[in-house]
Amino acid sequence: MLTSPPSPTLSHPHSTSSTSSTITTTRTTTRTTTRRRTTTLTKADTPSSPLHATYENKSPDPVPNQFPVPNPLSDTSSSTDPSSTLHLTSNGINTTPPPSPSTPSPTSSPSDILVQSDGTIHLTPTVGTAGGWSVQLLIGDYVVHQKYGIGKFLRCLRKPAVLSRAEKSRRAMERQRQINNNEEVRIYPVNETQDVMEVEYGDGILHVPVERSFRLSRYRGGDAIVKPKLSKMRGGQWSRQRDKVEGITEGIAVDVLAAYVRREKTRRMPYRLDLENGMEGFERNFKWNETTDQLKAIEQVKEDMVWRAKPMDRLVAGDVGFGKTEVAMRALFRSCLNKRQAVLLAPTSVLASQHYKNALGRFEGQGINIALLRGNGGKKGEEIKQALKDGSVGLVVGTHAILSKGVEFRNLGLVVIDEEQRFGVKQKERLKVISSGVDVLTLSATPIPRTLQMSLSGVRDTTTIRTPPKGRVPVKTTVCKMDYDAIGTAVKNELNRGGQAFVVVPRICMINDALEMLESQVPGIRVCIAHGRMGRGQAEENVGMFAQGGADVLLATTVIENGIDIPSVNTMIVMKADVFGMSTLYQLRGRVGRSNVQAYAILMYDNQANGGVSQAAMLRLKAMEDLQELGSGFDVASRDLEIRGAGSLFGVEQSGMAGKVGFDLYMRMLRKAIKKLGGLRLPFAVNTDLDLGNGEGSIMGNNAFVIPKSYIEDEDENSRMVGEARLAEDTDELVRLTSEWKEKYGELPPEIKRPLKNLHLHACTRVLGIDKVRLNSSGTAVLRAPGMRPRHWKMIEEDMARHGGRAKTGIKKKIKVHFPDRMREVERREDKAEAVLEGENNEKQEERGGDNQEDEWEDGIEEDEQDGDSGGMRKYLAMNDDDAIPGLRIEGIGDLKEGERASGLLKLLLPLAKLVKERTKEDDVRTMEKVEKREKREAWEKNITGEGKGTIKKNRAGYYEEQKP
């Protein structure tokens, strides 16, 4: 077995700070060597500092054992650190010592960074992804630069700072301002340095400042096993390749928007707001404290169900044990509270049984009938089906048996799907049938690539739960070869500390051999078995006995992948882990570590099997060992997408396109195209928190819109009309609705006329993306619109000027738009990069000046994405800092009399809301026309044959004609 030389391990913090915002490349050649070498490290900027370290590149002494198994990564029984990292080499798998726990942190002071004599600094940079989360870059990772293409990350380097013209100009202006105002003049260091990431390309080396790392993304293509070809900075090959993919994404963006438009047109009966008081008792009965992200997910699901007329289609992605089930329970109870049936669908009987028990406990005393439906239900199953048909069962929990054709519902309102990735194609097709027009909530720790991609592209709403429960610690994961002695030692150590263990095998036929091995390694051990071919209820019974302490080890197949929550089990051993997928491995690992006790997962691969361990299996195992932090389920899904490929979206195979530019850049291109085609489509504000003083303008609490029973006597009709009025998406819809009331029930009663004005105001604020309205101390109305961007307001101003009129000109003068400094238009700047192009004598240099306009636009888009999609805006919303959030400012609203402020605000916002709505409808019509034209064209291009018809083919002149049979 080959062992790679270890990387230096330092115990001093380091920083990512830098003074330059330019991209530069220097003449640097990186060569690898296998000879023994000593490198002296000194503290940056302090040459005379006594703090220094010497690191010798040779195999280190064994690390003290911190894991209850004897060296699982070696053929001998010597101790080793279980967290050592798995690496891929030409000869298989090897390991290197893990980084020290005191590895420098990216947030430390720059003066504490230890720098090697060649300028190398030990910094682990992070880059963004299309999903808005960050991933670490390791040496040797392939990266994608928006402008230069695919490169290879070599190291981080500290070098003299190179200031751009914009930075020099800014400093000069700052100095002049300080002098004019008699302020203290800021003195910058003479020898400034900057930290850069060194990236290798086919014709040179590129240095990217750390603070501009958002221009980089980790390369993830359609086939992660195939190494990509490095791009060349010189020439236009990369730009042509990028432009080609960008053109394809524009076509897919049309399909994405078309799907969005179709979904927006679907309607269902709104959930009643007046019944939300009944949720309070149910929520109080939850015995745990909700985490921040869990509360956010619960609130977003509530908004989807109560404040939207379109059916919910939301993915809740969260790590195992992070509280997704409670989010589902509250949604299920809300559905039953509104007298609508609900379904909780699970992929296995064990998980369905666990959900059923949880539901019985959570719904106790609520008067809701709950049933469990599984395969081969017999007479009891038929009774449950009949109860679902007549509506006597409010909640049904079950497996794919619910999807059978014999199951009918009287009034289905909500379908919750747990672990969607475990269902097959036919089952998902059936799901589409039964969930048409109803709310759908999907729970997953590791979404499948297509689901993940639909979430990233905006086709499906997504909520991510990343906050771990209090006291939870990460599961330490080790990858090693099959070793029966190691299994025995691990089990003994777990039993010695009073715990229990899981042992998982991939096939039922391996259970007997594994049982004999355990009995020989640990004499007297109590083992119970669980697998999918046991008698009805036998597996669940054995798992229950194990949970009660009736056995020391549960020997099972992947039947325990979901739904097992036993805090006393804190060791998991997976035999032949190389045959499992990443999602399965991640779910299995989640069965341990459900308390504040340190848990361990040992993934064993069989290197002696036929053909050895495949490269794809190596990548999966490496990812599992790398991703040990709490909340890494979405990252696992991202790695899974990387290994399995991007798949298809709307029938378009994308692996090839993702392979050309990397998946993250590809998804950014797609989102850019969606934004471009979306035009003036503002993020819809589900509910506006509006208060103009003493509750004026609000439609919550005592100010909620109510229709007197004397006006509409039928209770169901009254509730339905209130819901439709409350969720009207524009004022035209409200006008149409009130006209129908007048025709059917007579003139409107006086007591609902003022509340109707509030509904008109809310319809305007929702269209404009305004989620909060308040009056400040000076009487100015502050309207918060988190999704508004400068490009949106520019379009509004252009439309107002085009459709003109004094009224709109006056409105423009009264309404002032507010954008924080970080969102203002990016100043034009010149990004210079010096590239060392590898020639015959390595001396040829080329000075590269960027395309300023393109760089400006791309930087603006990337900064916009970072702010909007990776939690930046959520941070400002949590701070409740209105100046840090975009929006509108309207002076004089507070000067109006109480009772007239809502009307005054409505008069100003109504023209804007109508303009945005009309522009959005025009964009939607154009989008649907593009789809229809393309479908017609594809129908003509495709060979169409049928009874009595010929074949449509293109002739030599380029025209289509019918060729008779």
Side-chain angles (χ1 to χ4, degrees):
M1 177 179 293
L2 301 176
T3 303
S4 303
S7 303
T9 304
L10 307 176
S11 59
H12 301 283
H14 64 285
S15 166
T16 61
S17 65
S18 173
T19 59
S20 172
S21 60
T22 63
I23 299 181
T24 63
T25 60
T26 61
R27 183 178 177 183
T28 306
T29 305
T30 303
R31 297 184 175 89
T32 57
T33 178
T34 57
R35 67 174 181 269
R36 179 171 169 175
R37 181 179 63 185
T38 302
T39 304
T40 300
L41 309 179
T42 59
K43 193 171 183 179
D45 301 326
T46 54
S48 59
S49 172
L51 182 61
H52 67 275
T54 301
Y55 188 86
E56 190 172 11
N57 277 353
K58 64 179 182 179
S59 299
D61 295 331
V63 180
N65 186 22
Q66 301 175 0
F67 193 71
V69 297
N71 190 12
L73 295 173
S74 173
D75 293 332
T76 64
S77 59
S78 60
S79 297
T80 188
D81 187 350
S83 58
S84 56
T85 305
L86 179 70
H87 290 275
L88 307 181
T89 68
S90 57
N91 293 341
I93 302 178
N94 62 29
T95 59
T96 60
S100 167
S102 56
T103 299
S105 111
T107 58
S108 307
S109 170
S111 61
D112 290 333
I113 301 179
L114 291 181
V115 184
Q116 293 187 14
S117 57
D118 63 352
T120 299
I121 59 176
H122 291 273
L123 179 69
T124 305
T126 59
V127 294
T129 65
W133 61 91
S134 298
V135 294
Q136 290 186 339
L137 276 186
L138 304 177
I139 293 176
D141 280 351
Y142 289 94
V143 296
V144 181
H145 190 282
Q146 299 173 12
K147 187 173 180 182
Y148 298 107
I150 301 172
K152 188 176 183 180
F153 173 62
L154 299 179
R155 60 172 177 164
C156 281
L157 181 70
R158 173 160 293 177
K159 54 173 288 185
V162 179
L163 301 181
S164 65
R165 289 185 188 177
E167 178 64 15
K168 291 178 181 178
S169 176
R170 187 194 66 78
R171 292 188 180 186
M173 293 174 64
E174 179 187 26
R175 177 183 175 83
Q176 189 62 45
R177 180 184 57 79
Q178 291 168 346
I179 292 173
N180 294 340
N181 297 335
N182 293 324
E183 299 175 357
E184 183 180 353
V185 178
R186 179 179 179 182
I187 305 299
Y188 289 93
V190 177
N191 298 320
E192 288 188 73
T193 60
Q194 65 177 160
D195 298 339
V196 298
M197 295 176 285
E198 190 170 87
V199 182
E200 178 187 3
Y201 282 87
D203 55 358
I205 301 295
L206 180 71
H207 285 170
V208 182
V210 171
E211 72 270 14
R212 295 178 68 81
S213 63
F214 64 85
R215 283 195 160 199
L216 292 176
S217 59
R218 198 180 69 190
Y219 175 84
R220 298 184 291 162
D223 188 352
I225 298 175
V226 178
K227 295 180 179 180
K229 182 181 178 181
L230 297 183
S231 303
K232 291 184 179 181
M233 292 183 288
R234 176 194 288 176
Q237 181 180 0
W238 167 252
S239 61
R240 289 192 297 271
Q241 189 168 302
R242 187 186 62 182
D243 292 345
K244 182 179 179 181
V245 175
E246 193 168 359
I248 297 173
T249 59
E250 290 178 358
I252 300 176
V254 173
D255 289 323
V256 172
L257 286 174
Y260 184 84
V261 171
R262 292 190 186 105
R263 195 178 69 171
E264 289 293 316
K265 291 181 178 179
T266 308
R267 289 289 183 269
R268 54 106 167 99
M269 281 284 293
Y271 288 77
R272 293 174 58 178
L273 182 62
D274 58 311
L275 294 178
E276 284 300 300
N277 294 332
M279 292 290 300
E280 295 177 359
F282 185 82
E283 293 170 353
R284 283 196 300 267
N285 291 336
F286 185 53
K287 61 181 180 180
W288 308 105
N289 293 325
E290 300 92 341
T291 64
T292 304
D293 284 351
Q294 193 179 18
L295 287 173
K296 179 193 70 177
I298 290 170
E299 183 63 25
Q300 289 181 342
V301 171
K302 174 185 174 181
E303 289 178 347
D304 287 345
M305 299 178 73
V306 177
W307 289 100
R308 280 189 171 181
K310 71 173 185 178
M312 173 176 64
D313 184 13
R314 181 170 293 274
L315 166 68
V316 176
D319 219 338
V320 286
F322 273 35
K324 300 188 300 295
T325 302
E326 177 61 20
V327 176
M329 287 294 172
R330 297 190 186 187
L332 292 166
F333 182 73
R334 179 176 290 108
S335 179
C336 295
L337 199 62
N338 280 264
K339 298 180 181 180
R340 304 182 193 183
Q341 293 171 298
V343 171
L344 177 53
L345 193 61
T348 64
S349 296
V350 172
L351 179 56
S353 177
Q354 183 74 23
H355 281 322
Y356 178 65
K357 293 177 182 177
N358 290 339
L360 288 176
R362 290 292 284 119
F363 284 66
E364 185 178 4
Q366 300 295 341
I368 299 172
N369 291 330
I370 304 174
L372 176 64
L373 183 60
R374 296 178 293 185
N376 300 322
K379 183 178 180 180
K380 188 175 181 180
E382 293 300 321
E383 293 176 355
I384 293 174
K385 292 178 182 179
Q386 181 59 38
L388 289 173
K389 188 175 182 179
D390 60 33
S392 57
V393 169
L395 170 62
V396 59
V397 183
T399 60
H400 58 276
I402 297 176
L403 304 178
S404 60
K405 293 183 178 180
V407 178
E408 299 179 13
F409 298 89
R410 181 180 180 180
N411 183 26
L412 181 61
L414 173 66
V415 176
V416 176
I417 308 168
D418 196 4
E419 302 303 336
E420 180 192 31
Q421 72 274 7
R422 296 292 306 276
F423 291 95
V425 176
K426 292 183 178 179
Q427 293 164 345
K428 289 179 181 178
E429 290 299 322
R430 177 61 181 167
L431 265 174
K432 291 180 182 178
V433 175
I434 70 167
S435 62
S436 178
V438 303
D439 294 308
V440 177
L441 180 64
T442 303
L443 313 177
S444 181
T446 54
I448 59 176
R450 187 173 184 274
T451 299
L452 177 62
Q453 192 173 6
M454 292 178 71
S455 301
L456 298 181
S457 61
V459 177
R460 171 178 281 182
D461 296 324
T462 306
T463 301
T464 306
I465 302 179
R466 283 185 169 270
T467 309
K470 188 176 181 180
R472 187 71 58 87
V473 293
V475 179
K476 289 188 176 180
T477 304
T478 297
V479 177
C480 62
K481 293 192 302 183
M482 287 288 298
D483 187 340
Y484 288 170
D485 293 334
I487 295 175
T489 304
V491 172
K492 290 176 184 176
N493 287 339
E494 182 59 49
L495 297 182
N496 288 338
R497 64 174 184 171
Q500 297 169 287
F502 287 129
V503 177
V504 178
V505 294
R507 297 180 179 87
I508 296 176
C509 61
M510 297 175 59
I511 287 182
N512 290 335
D513 293 339
L515 178 61
E516 293 177 4
M517 178 271 296
L518 287 171
E519 291 175 343
S520 63
Q521 289 289 333
V522 189
I525 190 173
R526 299 175 301 163
V527 181
C528 65
I529 297 173
H531 59 78
R533 294 185 182 176
M534 303 182 76
R536 179 173 179 80
Q538 185 63 46
E540 292 90 331
E541 183 178 336
N542 288 357
V543 171
M545 178 189 69
F546 176 71
Q548 296 297 323
D552 302 317
V553 172
L554 178 62
L555 176 60
T557 58
T558 55
V559 70
I560 65 166
E561 176 184 348
N562 307 102
I564 305 298
D565 186 0
I566 308 175
S568 61
V569 184
N570 287 295
T571 294
M572 162 77 70
I573 302 168
V574 182
M575 301 173 66
K576 290 193 174 182
D578 50 294
V579 304
F580 292 105
M582 278 189 68
S583 175
T584 300
L585 289 173
Y586 190 75
Q587 290 287 351
L588 287 171
R589 186 172 68 181
R591 297 310 105 203
V592 295
R594 315 284 285 200
S595 65
N596 58 357
V597 178
Q598 179 62 65
Y600 303 93
I602 309 171
L603 310 180
M604 294 187 167
Y605 61 90
D606 187 2
N607 207 25
Q608 305 299 322
N610 295 334
V613 183
S614 67
Q615 220 168 357
M618 291 181 186
L619 289 169
R620 291 195 296 270
L621 296 176
K622 182 181 186 300
M624 290 301 302
E625 195 168 42
D626 288 345
L627 301 173
Q628 299 194 31
E629 294 300 319
L630 292 171
S632 55
F634 229 49
D635 297 332
V636 168
S638 177
R639 291 285 189 95
D640 195 23
L641 184 146
E642 174 181 342
I643 295 170
R644 293 168 57 184
S648 63
L649 188 65
F650 301 111
V652 179
E653 185 65 32
Q654 298 171 106
S655 295
M657 289 177 285
K660 289 180 180 179
V661 298
F663 179 75
D664 285 305
L665 182 56
Y666 168 73
M667 287 305 301
R668 288 177 181 179
M669 288 179 177
L670 178 57
R671 293 170 70 174
K672 168 187 163 184
I674 292 172
K675 288 180 180 180
K676 185 178 179 181
L677 289 173
L680 195 51
R681 182 184 294 278
L682 288 164
F684 190 78
V686 178
N687 180 26
T688 303
D689 180 11
L690 198 154
D691 188 354
L692 298 175
N694 295 326
E696 183 177 351
S698 175
I699 59 172
M700 299 292 292
N702 295 331
N703 299 306
F705 179 71
V706 177
I707 299 177
K709 291 186 178 180
S710 58
Y711 187 63
I712 302 180
E713 297 179 357
D714 185 85
E715 183 177 352
D716 292 338
E717 182 69 9
N718 189 305
S719 174
R720 188 172 70 85
M721 290 296 104
V722 169
E724 288 189 13
R726 179 172 54 86
L727 300 184
E729 295 186 356
D730 55 46
T731 56
D732 291 340
E733 189 173 341
L734 277 171
V735 170
R736 177 192 58 79
L737 197 60
T738 52
S739 297
E740 291 180 359
W741 295 349
K742 290 177 182 179
E743 292 179 3
K744 192 172 182 179
Y745 304 106
E747 285 297 318
L748 298 176
E751 58 264 35
I752 71 171
K753 289 185 177 180
R754 183 178 294 274
L756 266 176
K757 285 187 178 180
N758 291 342
L759 290 182
H760 278 274
L761 178 56
H762 274 261
C764 293
T765 57
R766 296 172 80 187
V767 170
L768 295 172
I770 298 170
D771 69 344
K772 184 179 179 181
V773 179
R774 287 291 186 274
L775 290 178
N776 62 17
S777 57
S778 63
T780 299
V782 179
L783 291 74
R784 195 175 71 178
M788 185 175 288
R789 296 295 181 266
R791 65 178 184 274
H792 294 135
W793 187 250
K794 187 177 180 180
M795 293 178 191
I796 291 174
E797 288 184 322
E798 290 174 353
D799 279 6
M800 290 178 71
R802 186 181 304 114
H803 300 294
R806 292 182 180 179
K808 291 185 178 179
T809 304
I811 290 171
K812 181 180 175 182
K813 291 180 179 179
K814 294 179 181 178
I815 298 178
K816 305 297 182 184
V817 67
H818 167 77
F819 291 109
D821 292 338
R822 69 182 187 279
M823 286 188 184
R824 298 190 180 278
E825 291 188 9
V826 183
E827 296 180 359
R828 289 188 173 273
R829 57 185 176 265
E830 290 185 6
D831 290 339
K832 284 194 173 183
E834 296 176 357
V836 176
L837 302 177
E838 303 288 349
E840 294 180 359
N841 54 10
N842 288 337
E843 292 182 357
K844 184 176 180 181
Q845 296 187 11
E846 177 181 338
E847 188 177 85
R848 290 176 136 343
D851 182 344
N852 299 330
Q853 186 174 1
E854 179 186 8
D855 289 348
E856 175 185 339
W857 189 88
E858 286 184 348
D859 289 349
I861 279 291
E862 292 308 316
E863 290 166 1
D864 179 40
E865 286 187 355
Q866 286 183 339
D867 184 60
D869 299 324
S870 62
M873 183 59 69
R874 290 195 296 271
K875 176 183 70 175
Y876 296 111
L877 290 172
M879 292 167 57
N880 205 23
D881 184 0
D882 291 333
D883 290 335
I885 302 169
L888 304 176
R889 304 290 186 267
I890 304 178
E891 297 179 355
I893 296 296
D895 298 334
L896 299 175
K897 295 181 180 179
E898 287 191 14
E900 297 179 1
R901 294 169 182 172
S903 299
L905 186 59
L906 175 61
K907 289 178 182 179
L908 293 173
L909 294 183
L910 183 58
L912 286 184
K914 285 190 173 182
L915 187 150
V916 171
K917 193 67 177 181
E918 290 172 3
R919 176 71 179 267
T920 303
K921 287 181 178 179
E922 292 173 1
D923 292 338
D924 291 345
V925 170
R926 282 195 292 268
T927 298
M928 299 308 296
E929 287 177 351
K930 289 180 180 179
V931 172
E932 291 174 2
K933 287 180 180 178
R934 193 197 60 209
E935 290 176 349
K936 289 180 180 179
R937 185 177 66 250
E938 290 175 352
W940 277 91
E941 291 176 351
K942 184 179 179 180
N943 290 340
I944 303 174
T945 57
E947 184 177 351
K949 295 184 179 180
T951 303
I952 306 298
K953 288 186 178 181
K954 185 185 291 186
N955 59 25
R956 292 183 179 180
Y959 298 100
Y960 293 95
E961 62 181 14
E962 180 179 354
Q963 297 180 0
K964 294 183 179 181

